[in-house]
Amino acid sequence: MSSFSIARLSLVLLLATSPFSSEALTHAVAVRATVPSEASKAVDRSFTGFAFEQSSFYNYSFDAQGKPNAFSQNLVDAVLSRTGGTPLLRVGGTSGDHGRYDASQKNATNYPATEYGPQTKISGNRLAIGPPFFQAFKSWPGAKFELMVPFYNTTFSRSVEWARAGVGQIGIDNLYALELGNEPTFYPWFSIKEYVRRYQSLQARLIAAIPSLADRRIFQAFDTASYSAGDLATKPAFQDGLDANASSIRQVAYHYYQNQHGVADFAALQDYIRHTATKSNITNFLADIRYLNGSHPAIGFAFTETGYSVGGSGGNDHIRTNNFASALWSLDFQLCALSMGVSRVNWQQILRSDLQMWRPVATSLGEPRVTAHFYSQPFVADFIGRSGKTRVVELDVGTPQSGLYAAYAAYDDGKLARVALLNLELWDSQRNSSSGGRPEARFSLTGLLGTGSNLTVHHLTADKGALAHENVTYSGLEWSWASQGKQKKVKNDSKMLEINSTEVDIMVKATQAVLLEIR
């Protein structure tokens, strides 16, 4: 790839000049060459995790022939191989928490995920898992697991037997965390004091039944439902008794969904991905993060079940949320979470739904596929890098503060290494076909001189814009069922330039993001 030098670097992303170039908004972004004091702590290279709804996990683990699902394995590897981190896979959810373990059951589940959605009832037909279910954990070499055991009704669910069977197959060294229950703020008996009392009781029973759990920091607490985080906050829970269990807790977990009832229309989609909305939502968790950092610094704060929408039908012009716009939202969410000190994000996967990054096997909803939403993951992984010493800070993008633009910097060993620029203004080739072209924004960066000799620019883009479900690329790469989840180069849209000026202009088109690597 050739490099060239110019007095003032100006990149027009996607190799096309917008008719609105001369009218582009300019965002002055000052970047510091060395890590600022307000940057995050060092980022875990396993930050990019995945979560699987209880019954769906089996079909993400095995293909239609009953063999380990290479498609799933390759997609997880496409992300974690970029950071060198360990894949951390959370297996759980409401269907499991309301379900039960049946040691005599011959099938993995009584409601196969290829035919049924999650069974979330608290009476009547419920999910039952048998011993074959836990064989799925053997399909993920090199991974570690966050295993949920039922907490809603431990007697009905046979929670101790469930845990014993699961830990027996996973192995204690591959168990990252044992999660007690799912979204306890919805339990009819919930109060903080009662939660702490029952948590301590179940934890004691589990340790007695599985002695290898003793004297380890291996439990996961809370897994609080999205939109009810304030009902189970860290400080009151630990002060009401969890302090006594703190040495056994590896991480405190919350669930996060950007939207609760679907996206009604294109205008609502713009508000849905707006950076100011995302940042405001994550800010609601800062008190919990700061409490842990100050009082229990060895305990991580993680979003262990994360998605773009819990569900709902939206409106008459309902927008299907697994699109390129939601991929950009996912990117911004994760970079913002990194900058605020979140330890990990696990992305929810449900087989028979639109809430997934890929469909691993055929179902009544369609053939195996990689969704647009997946493309946020390799970008985030490349932004984190492999050093294990990366620290992240959000950059001020100046005015206007519309929430349509965002920027972040990553520092390795205290030195500037990467910059991410996001233009979240919605543009779609069909919805905006008469507008005259795709708008763009200018990010005018200062402070890069002396940080490296050259700059490589990678694009996250979809030619058709916000509502695209296909033909999405990151750094010119594509992942698909046809390639069995392995990356394939389909375009050459990365550029390398020499850095020899105090100011660098980067043009980013609407509904696009760019990663700058400094070398």
Side-chain angles (χ1 to χ4, degrees), residues 112-117 351-352 363-364:
T114 52
E115 301 173 29
Y116 301 92
L351 185 59
R352 289 191 79 256
T363 74
S364 59

Side-chain angles (χ1 to χ4, degrees), residues 108-128:
T109 74
N110 60 336
Y111 286 98
T114 52
E115 301 173 29
Y116 301 92
Q119 303 296 301
T120 59
K121 297 177 182 179
I122 58 174
S123 63
N125 297 331
R126 299 197 228 181
L127 177 71

Side-chain angles (χ1 to χ4, degrees), residues 150-227:
F151 192 25
Y152 181 83
N153 184 329
T154 59
T155 302
F156 170 82
S157 297
R158 302 188 180 102
S159 299
V160 172
E161 291 85 350
W162 180 306
R164 187 186 288 115
V167 175
Q169 283 289 340
I170 294 169
I172 194 66
D173 291 336
N174 293 325
L175 179 66
Y176 183 79
L178 195 62
E179 169 190 337
L180 306 193
N182 180 79
E183 301 182 347
T185 47
F186 291 152
Y187 295 174
W189 52 257
F190 175 78
S191 70
I192 291 179
K193 287 185 179 295
E194 186 64 13
Y195 169 81
V196 171
R197 186 187 73 80
R198 295 195 186 208
Y199 181 96
Q200 292 173 329
S201 174
L202 179 56
Q203 187 191 77
R205 290 164 54 203
L206 290 168
I207 292 173
I210 311 170
S212 58
L213 295 173
D215 302 319
R216 291 176 182 261
R217 190 177 292 278
I218 202 166
F219 286 89
Q220 183 167 301
F222 291 23
D223 278 272
T224 306
S226 186
Y227 302 102

Side-chain angles (χ1 to χ4, degrees), residues 123-405:
S123 63
N125 297 331
R126 299 197 228 181
L127 177 71
I129 64 172
F133 177 86
F134 294 106
Q135 296 172 9
F137 291 91
K138 299 293 187 181
S139 292
W140 302 89
K144 293 191 176 184
F145 301 93
E146 300 160 30
L147 173 67
M148 189 213 73
V149 297
F151 192 25
Y152 181 83
N153 184 329
T154 59
T155 302
F156 170 82
S157 297
R158 302 188 180 102
S159 299
V160 172
E161 291 85 350
W162 180 306
R164 187 186 288 115
V167 175
Q169 283 289 340
I170 294 169
I172 194 66
D173 291 336
N174 293 325
L175 179 66
Y176 183 79
L178 195 62
E179 169 190 337
L180 306 193
N182 180 79
E183 301 182 347
T185 47
F186 291 152
Y187 295 174
W189 52 257
F190 175 78
S191 70
I192 291 179
K193 287 185 179 295
E194 186 64 13
Y195 169 81
V196 171
R197 186 187 73 80
R198 295 195 186 208
Y199 181 96
Q200 292 173 329
S201 174
L202 179 56
Q203 187 191 77
R205 290 164 54 203
L206 290 168
I207 292 173
I210 311 170
S212 58
L213 295 173
D215 302 319
R216 291 176 182 261
R217 190 177 292 278
I218 202 166
F219 286 89
Q220 183 167 301
F222 291 23
D223 278 272
T224 306
S226 186
Y227 302 102
S228 65
D231 296 334
L232 182 52
T234 53
K235 185 176 181 179
F238 277 86
Q239 291 182 342
D240 273 352
L242 275 188
D243 272 332
N245 303 76
S247 63
S248 68
I249 297 175
R250 188 163 207 165
Q251 63 184 14
V252 165
Y254 286 82
H255 297 175
Y256 183 99
Y257 290 92
Q258 182 75 349
N259 180 281
Q260 195 168 10
H261 298 298
V263 178
D265 51 35
F266 198 65
L269 183 63
Q270 180 67 86
D271 289 335
Y272 163 95
I273 73 166
R274 200 177 295 272
H275 170 69
T276 43
T278 299
K279 185 174 181 178
S280 176
N281 289 344
I282 301 176
T283 299
N284 291 331
F285 298 91
L286 271 180
D288 298 296
I289 295 170
R290 289 168 177 165
Y291 172 77
L292 291 175
N293 287 342
S295 299
H296 299 286
I299 298 177
F301 177 99
F303 289 120
T304 55
E305 181 182 313
T306 313
Y308 32 85
S309 180
V310 175
S313 60
N316 293 332
D317 194 23
H318 174 60
I319 299 293
R320 177 180 159 195
T321 46
N322 196 330
N323 51 40
F324 185 62
S326 72
L328 282 181
W329 165 76
S330 171
L331 172 62
D332 186 42
F333 172 83
Q334 291 178 88
L335 299 185
C336 191
L338 280 168
S339 73
M340 291 191 180
V342 174
S343 302
R344 181 161 302 98
V345 173
N346 297 79
W347 287 96
Q348 182 74 331
Q349 306 270 85
I350 300 178
L351 185 59
R352 289 191 79 256
S353 82
D354 210 32
L355 188 60
Q356 58 186 216
M357 290 193 165
W358 70 94
R359 183 187 294 137
V361 294
T363 74
S364 59
L365 299 181
E367 294 299 310
R369 63 173 186 171
V370 178
T371 72
H373 203 70
F374 172 82
Y375 284 79
S376 60
Q377 299 305 90
F379 187 119
V380 173
D382 279 346
F383 180 81
I384 292 170
R386 301 181 64 89
S387 74
K389 300 177 181 179
T390 303
R391 297 176 64 191
V392 176
V393 66
E394 182 179 353
L395 301 174
D396 186 354
V397 297
T399 57
Q401 296 291 345
S402 60
L404 299 182
Y405 313 97

